[in-house]
Amino acid sequence: MITGIFPPIATPFINDEIAFEKLRENISRWNEFDLSGYVVMGSNGESVFLTRSEKIKLVESVKKYSKPGRTIIAGTGLDSIKETISLSNDTINAGADYLLILTPSFYQAQMKHDALVDYFNRVADSVKVPVIIYNVPKFTNVNIKAETVAKLAEHQNIIGIKNSSENLAELTEIISSVPNDFSVLVGTASVLYPGLGAGAAGGIMAMVNAAPGECISIYKNFIDGNYEKCLGIQKRLVKPNKAVTATYGVAGLKAAMDMMGFYGGRTRSPLQKLSGNEIEDIKQIFKEAKLLK
Amino acid sequence: MITGIFPPIATPFINDEIAFEKLRENISRWNEFDLSGYVVMGSNGESVFLTRSEKIKLVESVKKYSKPGRTIIAGTGLDSIKETISLSNDTINAGADYLLILTPSFYQAQMKHDALVDYFNRVADSVKVPVIIYNVPKFTNVNIKAETVAKLAEHQNIIGIKNSSENLAELTEIISSVPNDFSVLVGTASVLYPGLGAGAAGGIMAMVNAAPGECISIYKNFIDGNYEKCLGIQKRLVKPNKAVTATYGVAGLKAAMDMMGFYGGRTRSPLQKLSGNEIEDIKQIFKEAKLLK
Amino acid sequence: MITGIFPPIATPFINDEIAFEKLRENISRWNEFDLSGYVVMGSNGESVFLTRSEKIKLVESVKKYSKPGRTIIAGTGLDSIKETISLSNDTINAGADYLLILTPSFYQAQMKHDALVDYFNRVADSVKVPVIIYNVPKFTNVNIKAETVAKLAEHQNIIGIKNSSENLAELTEIISSVPNDFSVLVGTASVLYPGLGAGAAGGIMAMVNAAPGECISIYKNFIDGNYEKCLGIQKRLVKPNKAVTATYGVAGLKAAMDMMGFYGGRTRSPLQKLSGNEIEDIKQIFKEAKLLK
Amino acid sequence: MITGIFPPIATPFINDEIAFEKLRENISRWNEFDLSGYVVMGSNGESVFLTRSEKIKLVESVKKYSKPGRTIIAGTGLDSIKETISLSNDTINAGADYLLILTPSFYQAQMKHDALVDYFNRVADSVKVPVIIYNVPKFTNVNIKAETVAKLAEHQNIIGIKNSSENLAELTEIISSVPNDFSVLVGTASVLYPGLGAGAAGGIMAMVNAAPGECISIYKNFIDGNYEKCLGIQKRLVKPNKAVTATYGVAGLKAAMDMMGFYGGRTRSPLQKLSGNEIEDIKQIFKEAKLLK
């Protein structure tokens, strides 16, 4: 079962090429935190801008730089089932322990129960490591239903879901629809504490890139029953989380990483550079939240 | 400060006219539960289908039938500020202790911070009892922001908000933006427990009409620190709550009330009668949730 | 049958009260144009901000100021069927020749075929003048389907529709679903020419308030078969139309009226005043479109 | 300049593999119609389900089967600029005369003016044939603005746009914002006639796969000034077009192709097979539209 806190790692670039040395440095710092592992090629990894060979090399590198024992999860879902299986298997050979498979989304109006069950079952049948469903409606405009997750949980190779919605009713419905050993993971740091309260097993959240300590602290305090402490940290994280996701996206997350002592750097085009005012706005929000001094 | 559990009472009709005797019977049963009071003319009260004089008579009747000491909250918000103030003051004379004021919504694209601040301040300036903001994007397509709520909380006659969203990040952001004595109330039973966990003071929720006991039980167990019990009940309520709100609306709520021993009856036109299959679907969902035997 | 061009007249205010003298002056100027009549209490009339008695007085005044022979259409649709019928009949006594009835919208998810058929049939059964359906999804979030319009067209007292969508496929489907003597009216000036090309009988369009000449010119040139001229004017109107509807709303329309020699003035609260920059933006757009020099 | 009518060809499959013989037969029949050329790997070509090597082979085959002189347009846009350029150049070597480049869409909230200008300019700089912008909000949730199209039209290697929206105001605004030799193409058959009326140069429309004759007839009659004939055909096409796009998607289009004497067959998974009732519904709609007897 997948539990604990994971960063969906931002891919560092210098001059539009992957900066493996910066990746090594970031992971080296994250290795000092009590993280469960690393997610490569999630939404915040700018996966859609990477070439196939870059993806494989990225997984190999994260595996290599990662502290031993940490779980490597690779995001390999594409609309094409053939391409998903092929990329997944190459990624597994490069070191991935689990796959994070995005709901297919191009024909969003058709991505109902039967289509999603068909897609995930076919993929899960053909890959050699366990699959985690990845639901992120803000990017896919597809929102998998609890009954679909429940159906997919019957497949022995589908073992969890990362649900990147802030809707706690949906999260609770999913949790109450799947077996206890199916890992429901929170997908955004703004609802980590309520998500754990509803029975989530952990979280894969952009914010972990920039503020791993606070995210881990919510998780550990929750386990220890220190709910007031959880709520205190949670309240501080809501606005910074909005800044590095909804408001400014990956460029905002990378700017925050730069502020917090990690390497963020530039996003790949067509994502654009933030203006000085936008960076200042993020800085203020992080200061007010006492993440920055 | 407003705390505890309130039903936004469904208005009973017989032959398309308000059935005051049925209202009396429903309230008489609700009086036996440990509710904080009653909300008249909320979204589930089919307020938009009532004439002005029906509204006044409804408030008078609820006041009369209610157990002494219970708080009466009247929903009187309309797009027109003049009409809102006039209706509010008549409603106060009829017995309302608080007003629940819907965000104006017709010109939804223009209902930003300044417009909402202006609207609520003008209303709050001109009515004789405290105002609770009512945010319910699924009906209004307007979603008030935390910073707007924070600004409005500075007005001494605006004392709380009913927030009918399932987005816990937004709820948490609102709670962390207002003073401690500003009452943030959950607006839908699917997120009552996480909402309380985030610091909400109680809830005004359609489901209370049909299943007051379970809603109160979450509230009391939360206060007593029995979080596992809260989560257990919460998980059971998510699907029934979806059935009587998103899926079947007020007609579904009224069907559930009929099943649970209250008088639900028909909605007013243009809301339509449920089919036999739809009623059966609700029954099954309530049985699976152990609300019905 | 309703044909030709109508302004849905903007309600003039001075110090937040209806400025009847300004209304008289505006109508006096519009009387010089070849308009078919006037629409009172449309979306651009800030109808939702008017009290019941203001509405009646407004209809009486427009009737009085209007050039003889011009058709007076009053917008009287509310969610409540009882209130709609009552207001409609008072409005008819005040001089309305036709009623423009908005789709009910509060319970938007339930406003499907059966509900809409029920609503409009009940209203049309109980009012003494013919009914025009008013479909405006950007305000109501309800979009009436061609098959529903076709069903409603069977009622002898429902004689047309104002469809305020820019979707020409939907407009064409409606036109091809109703009898030839059912008046389909374009609801926004950005698609007047293609709408006429698809068979529409005319238009009720915000822009007519500010630029009646251009709208009438498209209509007349269309009838005369001067399609290139129609297209030329149409192209000039798209951006100004967007400015006075989607971008700046009623406040933008009123600013444009002020520029074009009519009285626009302020909107009622909670609609807010435009900034100087916003007004300048509208001015530039109107200049580039050669509506202003 | 690109003018006239193009089918975005549906990719035929047998047992989940591309059926090149069926492709040859379909093209052979389309060759008899007065089409301007063929679009390979558009949205209706299930491009997102094809592997890279399948895409290249598909372009080669369409080129080979196509009547000499017909224009081959290949859809090669991906979020990744690197992958888009690489695939585009391989596709050009395989025979593509033009590229149809989808707006990038994964980070939809960030795909504003600057990002889109950057993306298209970089792609257009690096490919050897002219680029046509492809705007299809129902799949991408990105809607390119007229001002962005106007900016991109300044690039000498960006020569047109396929705009798959039914919003005629937006189409008219685009047409009035670009030079006369920039090809604006209608993207859905439900608005072909109004689109041509607004100045479009032709259309790339799913419906051409199944009913090329009617689409060409609208185009030719428009050129000849027979507008009533255009409107007559247009009215018949609206409902069938809705069936093979919004309602049933690519599976619906393929079912219609089967009915109309082309090879449609099955879609690739995860798109699902239509039920017998759904196919019957399409058949009825095509019969009522007199496309089928």
Side-chain angles (χ1 to χ4, degrees):
Chain A
M1 201 172 163
I2 303 279
T3 60
I5 302 298
F6 294 78
I9 65 180
T11 307
F13 298 104
I14 293 180
N15 295 329
D16 216 34
E17 294 302 320
I18 299 181
F20 288 99
E21 183 55 23
K22 295 297 179 189
L23 178 69
R24 199 189 56 71
E25 290 170 20
N26 280 345
I27 293 179
S28 165
R29 277 205 55 199
W30 289 323
N31 280 339
E32 297 164 23
F33 289 90
D34 204 1
L35 297 165
S36 297
Y38 301 106
V39 174
V40 200
M41 287 134 49
S43 303
N44 286 287
E46 296 174 66
S47 178
V48 293
F49 300 151
L50 302 177
T51 65
R52 199 180 199 288
S53 57
E54 286 174 332
K55 289 179 184 181
I56 305 300
K57 194 160 173 215
L58 200 58
V59 175
E60 283 170 352
S61 305
V62 171
K63 180 75 175 179
K64 189 167 68 186
Y65 305 147
S66 167
K67 199 168 164 176
R70 300 220 160 168
T71 300
I72 309 298
I73 303 173
T76 55
L78 299 165
D79 271 88
S80 162
I81 290 173
K82 286 189 186 212
E83 292 281 15
T84 299
I85 292 168
S86 154
L87 175 62
S88 292
N89 285 328
D90 286 359
T91 306
I92 294 164
N93 292 336
D97 302 309
Y98 291 86
L99 300 169
L100 183 65
I101 303 287
L102 196 64
T103 55
S105 65
F106 189 76
Y107 298 109
Q108 53 198 253
Q110 270 76 39
M111 292 302 106
K112 311 275 190 211
H113 182 78
D114 288 346
L116 293 172
V117 168
D118 186 20
Y119 175 89
F120 280 103
N121 280 339
R122 284 175 191 246
V123 170
D125 282 347
S126 303
V127 294
K128 293 167 288 179
V129 304
V131 165
I132 301 165
I133 299 162
Y134 183 15
N135 187 49
V136 57
K138 78 168 177 170
F139 291 130
T140 62
N141 306 288
V142 168
N143 194 15
I144 200 167
K145 290 188 177 175
E147 66 193 56
T148 307
V149 180
K151 180 72 194 162
L152 289 171
E154 295 172 7
H155 193 294
Q156 65 171 14
N157 205 27
I158 300 178
I159 57 91
I161 182 170
K162 172 187 174 182
N163 190 41
S164 292
S165 149
E166 295 175 328
N167 185 311
L168 250 286
E170 291 176 5
L171 193 78
T172 307
E173 192 181 355
I174 290 172
I175 290 169
S176 63
S177 304
V178 296
N180 283 334
D181 63 352
F182 188 86
S183 298
V184 178
L185 301 165
V186 169
T188 186
S190 52
V191 293
L192 176 55
Y193 168 53
L196 294 170
I204 300 172
M205 306 167 299
M207 184 58 106
V208 183
N209 278 285
E214 280 73 12
C215 296
I216 290 167
S217 186
I218 288 180
Y219 181 71
K220 292 199 163 175
N221 276 297
F222 182 82
I223 286 172
D224 295 343
N226 301 327
Y227 301 127
E228 247 172 272
K229 231 167 172 181
C230 291
L231 181 55
I233 306 168
Q234 182 65 77
K235 283 181 171 178
R236 286 166 47 214
L237 289 188
V238 174
K239 278 173 208 250
N241 188 67
K242 190 159 68 171
V244 302
T245 58
T247 313
Y248 298 116
V250 182
L253 176 64
K254 288 188 158 179
M257 289 174 70
D258 283 329
M259 291 169 205
M260 300 293 289
F262 297 92
Y263 177 81
R266 284 289 311 272
T267 52
R268 259 194 181 164
S269 174
L271 286 178
Q272 300 293 296
K273 203 174 158 174
L274 298 188
S275 70
N277 282 343
E278 291 171 325
I279 291 172
E280 195 49 42
D281 183 34
I282 296 171
K283 193 169 282 175
Q284 281 310 311
I285 291 167
F286 271 66
K287 279 185 183 169
E288 278 163 31
K290 299 194 167 44
L291 295 172
L292 262 186
K293 277 171 207 165
Chain B
M1 202 176 164
I2 302 280
T3 60
I5 303 299
F6 294 78
I9 66 180
T11 306
F13 298 105
I14 292 181
N15 295 329
D16 217 34
E17 295 302 320
I18 299 181
F20 288 98
E21 183 55 23
K22 295 298 178 189
L23 179 68
R24 198 189 57 70
E25 290 170 20
N26 280 346
I27 293 179
S28 164
R29 278 206 55 200
W30 289 323
N31 280 339
E32 295 165 23
F33 289 90
D34 203 2
L35 297 165
S36 297
Y38 301 106
V39 173
V40 201
M41 288 135 46
S43 303
N44 286 286
E46 295 174 68
S47 179
V48 292
F49 299 152
L50 302 177
T51 65
R52 200 180 197 289
S53 58
E54 285 174 333
K55 289 179 183 180
I56 305 301
K57 194 158 173 216
L58 200 58
V59 175
E60 283 170 352
S61 304
V62 170
K63 181 74 175 179
K64 189 167 70 187
Y65 305 147
S66 167
K67 198 167 164 176
R70 300 219 161 169
T71 300
I72 309 299
I73 303 173
T76 55
L78 299 164
D79 271 271
S80 162
I81 291 174
K82 286 190 184 209
E83 292 281 14
T84 299
I85 293 169
S86 155
L87 174 63
S88 293
N89 284 329
D90 287 358
T91 305
I92 294 164
N93 291 337
D97 302 310
Y98 291 85
L99 299 169
L100 183 65
I101 303 288
L102 196 64
T103 55
S105 65
F106 189 75
Y107 299 108
Q108 52 199 253
Q110 270 76 40
M111 293 302 106
K112 311 274 190 213
H113 182 78
D114 288 346
L116 293 172
V117 168
D118 186 19
Y119 174 89
F120 280 103
N121 280 339
R122 284 176 191 245
V123 170
D125 282 346
S126 304
V127 294
K128 294 166 289 178
V129 303
V131 164
I132 301 165
I133 299 162
Y134 183 15
N135 187 49
V136 58
K138 77 169 177 170
F139 292 129
T140 62
N141 306 288
V142 168
N143 194 15
I144 200 167
K145 289 189 177 173
E147 67 193 54
T148 307
V149 180
K151 180 72 193 162
L152 289 171
E154 295 172 8
H155 193 294
Q156 63 170 17
N157 204 28
I158 300 179
I159 58 89
I161 182 170
K162 172 187 174 180
N163 189 41
S164 292
S165 150
E166 294 175 329
N167 186 310
L168 250 286
E170 291 177 4
L171 193 78
T172 306
E173 192 181 354
I174 290 172
I175 289 169
S176 63
S177 305
V178 296
N180 283 334
D181 63 351
F182 188 85
S183 298
V184 178
L185 301 165
V186 169
T188 186
S190 52
V191 293
L192 177 55
Y193 168 53
L196 294 170
I204 300 173
M205 307 167 297
M207 184 57 106
V208 184
N209 279 284
E214 280 73 12
C215 297
I216 290 168
S217 187
I218 289 179
Y219 181 71
K220 291 198 164 176
N221 277 295
F222 182 82
I223 286 174
D224 295 345
N226 301 325
Y227 301 127
E228 247 173 271
K229 234 172 170 177
C230 290
L231 181 54
I233 307 168
Q234 183 64 78
K235 283 179 172 179
R236 286 165 48 215
L237 289 188
V238 173
K239 277 173 208 253
N241 187 66
K242 189 159 68 170
V244 303
T245 58
T247 314
Y248 297 117
V250 182
L253 176 63
K254 287 187 158 181
M257 289 174 69
D258 283 328
M259 290 169 204
M260 300 294 287
F262 296 92
Y263 177 81
R266 284 288 311 273
T267 52
R268 259 194 181 163
S269 173
L271 286 178
Q272 301 292 296
K273 204 175 158 173
L274 297 188
S275 71
N277 282 344
E278 291 172 326
I279 291 173
E280 194 50 41
D281 184 34
I282 296 172
K283 194 169 281 175
Q284 281 310 312
I285 291 167
F286 270 65
K287 279 184 182 170
E288 277 163 33
K290 298 194 168 45
L291 294 171
L292 261 186
K293 279 172 205 163
Chain C
M1 201 171 164
I2 303 281
T3 61
I5 302 299
F6 294 78
I9 66 180
T11 306
F13 298 105
I14 292 181
N15 294 330
D16 216 32
E17 295 301 320
I18 300 181
F20 288 98
E21 182 55 24
K22 295 297 179 189
L23 178 68
R24 198 189 57 70
E25 289 170 20
N26 280 345
I27 293 179
S28 165
R29 277 205 53 199
W30 289 324
N31 280 338
E32 295 165 24
F33 289 89
D34 203 1
L35 297 165
S36 296
Y38 300 106
V39 173
V40 200
M41 286 133 51
S43 303
N44 287 286
E46 296 174 67
S47 179
V48 294
F49 299 151
L50 302 178
T51 65
R52 199 180 199 287
S53 58
E54 285 175 333
K55 289 179 184 180
I56 306 300
K57 193 158 174 217
L58 200 59
V59 175
E60 283 170 353
S61 304
V62 172
K63 180 75 175 179
K64 190 168 69 188
Y65 305 147
S66 167
K67 197 167 164 178
R70 301 220 160 167
T71 300
I72 308 300
I73 302 175
T76 55
L78 299 165
D79 271 271
S80 162
I81 291 174
K82 286 190 185 211
E83 292 281 14
T84 300
I85 292 169
S86 155
L87 175 63
S88 293
N89 285 327
D90 286 358
T91 305
I92 293 164
N93 292 335
D97 301 310
Y98 291 85
L99 300 169
L100 183 65
I101 303 287
L102 196 65
T103 56
S105 65
F106 189 76
Y107 298 109
Q108 52 199 254
Q110 270 75 40
M111 293 301 106
K112 311 275 189 210
H113 182 78
D114 288 347
L116 292 173
V117 167
D118 186 20
Y119 174 88
F120 280 103
N121 279 339
R122 283 176 191 246
V123 170
D125 282 347
S126 305
V127 294
K128 292 168 289 178
V129 303
V131 165
I132 301 164
I133 299 162
Y134 183 16
N135 188 48
V136 57
K138 78 168 175 168
F139 291 129
T140 62
N141 307 287
V142 168
N143 194 15
I144 200 167
K145 289 188 178 174
E147 67 194 55
T148 307
V149 180
K151 181 72 193 163
L152 289 171
E154 295 172 7
H155 193 294
Q156 64 170 16
N157 205 28
I158 301 177
I159 57 90
I161 183 170
K162 173 187 173 181
N163 190 41
S164 292
S165 149
E166 293 175 329
N167 185 312
L168 251 285
E170 291 176 4
L171 193 78
T172 306
E173 192 181 355
I174 290 171
I175 290 169
S176 65
S177 303
V178 295
N180 283 335
D181 63 351
F182 188 87
S183 298
V184 178
L185 301 166
V186 168
T188 186
S190 53
V191 293
L192 176 56
Y193 167 52
L196 295 170
I204 300 173
M205 306 168 299
M207 184 58 106
V208 184
N209 279 285
E214 280 73 12
C215 297
I216 290 168
S217 186
I218 289 180
Y219 182 70
K220 292 199 163 174
N221 277 295
F222 182 81
I223 286 174
D224 295 345
N226 300 326
Y227 301 127
E228 246 173 273
K229 232 169 171 181
C230 291
L231 181 55
I233 307 167
Q234 182 65 77
K235 283 180 171 178
R236 287 166 45 214
L237 289 188
V238 174
K239 277 173 208 251
N241 188 66
K242 188 158 70 171
V244 302
T245 58
T247 313
Y248 298 116
V250 182
L253 176 63
K254 287 187 160 181
M257 289 174 70
D258 283 329
M259 291 170 204
M260 300 293 288
F262 297 92
Y263 177 82
R266 284 288 311 273
T267 52
R268 259 194 181 164
S269 173
L271 287 178
Q272 300 293 295
K273 203 174 159 175
L274 297 188
S275 70
N277 282 344
E278 291 172 325
I279 291 172
E280 194 50 41
D281 183 34
I282 296 172
K283 194 168 282 175
Q284 280 311 312
I285 291 167
F286 271 65
K287 279 185 181 168
E288 277 163 32
K290 299 193 167 46
L291 294 171
L292 262 186
K293 278 172 208 167
Chain D
M1 202 175 163
I2 303 280
T3 60
I5 302 298
F6 294 78
I9 67 179
T11 306
F13 298 104
I14 292 180
N15 295 330
D16 217 33
E17 295 302 320
I18 299 181
F20 289 99
E21 181 56 22
K22 295 297 179 189
L23 178 68
R24 199 190 56 71
E25 290 170 20
N26 280 345
I27 293 179
S28 164
R29 278 206 55 199
W30 289 324
N31 280 338
E32 296 165 24
F33 288 90
D34 203 1
L35 297 165
S36 297
Y38 300 107
V39 173
V40 201
M41 287 136 47
S43 303
N44 286 286
E46 296 174 66
S47 178
V48 292
F49 299 151
L50 302 177
T51 65
R52 199 179 199 290
S53 58
E54 285 174 333
K55 289 180 184 180
I56 305 300
K57 195 162 171 214
L58 200 58
V59 174
E60 284 170 351
S61 304
V62 170
K63 180 75 176 178
K64 189 168 69 187
Y65 305 147
S66 167
K67 198 167 164 175
R70 300 220 160 168
T71 300
I72 308 299
I73 303 173
T76 55
L78 299 165
D79 271 272
S80 162
I81 290 173
K82 286 190 185 211
E83 291 281 14
T84 299
I85 293 168
S86 153
L87 175 63
S88 293
N89 285 327
D90 287 359
T91 305
I92 294 164
N93 292 336
D97 302 309
Y98 291 86
L99 300 169
L100 182 66
I101 303 288
L102 196 65
T103 55
S105 65
F106 189 76
Y107 299 109
Q108 52 200 253
Q110 271 76 41
M111 292 302 106
K112 312 274 191 213
H113 182 78
D114 288 346
L116 293 172
V117 168
D118 186 19
Y119 175 88
F120 280 103
N121 280 339
R122 284 175 190 246
V123 171
D125 282 347
S126 304
V127 294
K128 294 166 288 178
V129 303
V131 165
I132 301 165
I133 299 162
Y134 183 15
N135 187 49
V136 59
K138 77 169 177 169
F139 292 129
T140 62
N141 306 289
V142 169
N143 194 16
I144 200 167
K145 290 189 178 174
E147 67 194 55
T148 308
V149 180
K151 181 72 194 162
L152 289 171
E154 295 172 8
H155 193 293
Q156 64 170 15
N157 205 28
I158 300 178
I159 57 89
I161 182 169
K162 172 187 174 181
N163 189 42
S164 292
S165 150
E166 294 175 328
N167 186 311
L168 250 286
E170 291 176 5
L171 194 77
T172 306
E173 191 180 355
I174 290 171
I175 290 169
S176 64
S177 303
V178 295
N180 283 335
D181 64 351
F182 189 85
S183 298
V184 178
L185 301 165
V186 169
T188 186
S190 52
V191 294
L192 176 55
Y193 167 52
L196 294 170
I204 300 173
M205 306 168 298
M207 184 58 106
V208 183
N209 279 283
E214 280 73 12
C215 297
I216 290 168
S217 186
I218 289 179
Y219 182 71
K220 292 199 163 176
N221 276 296
F222 182 82
I223 287 173
D224 295 344
N226 301 326
Y227 301 126
E228 248 173 89
K229 233 170 172 180
C230 291
L231 180 55
I233 306 168
Q234 182 64 77
K235 283 180 171 178
R236 286 166 47 215
L237 289 188
V238 174
K239 277 173 208 252
N241 187 67
K242 188 159 70 171
V244 303
T245 58
T247 313
Y248 297 116
V250 182
L253 176 64
K254 287 187 159 181
M257 289 173 71
D258 283 328
M259 291 169 204
M260 301 295 288
F262 297 92
Y263 176 82
R266 283 290 310 273
T267 52
R268 258 194 182 164
S269 174
L271 286 179
Q272 301 292 296
K273 203 176 159 175
L274 297 189
S275 70
N277 281 343
E278 291 172 326
I279 292 173
E280 194 50 41
D281 183 35
I282 296 172
K283 194 169 281 174
Q284 281 310 313
I285 291 167
F286 271 65
K287 279 185 181 169
E288 277 164 31
K290 298 193 167 45
L291 294 171
L292 262 187
K293 278 172 204 165

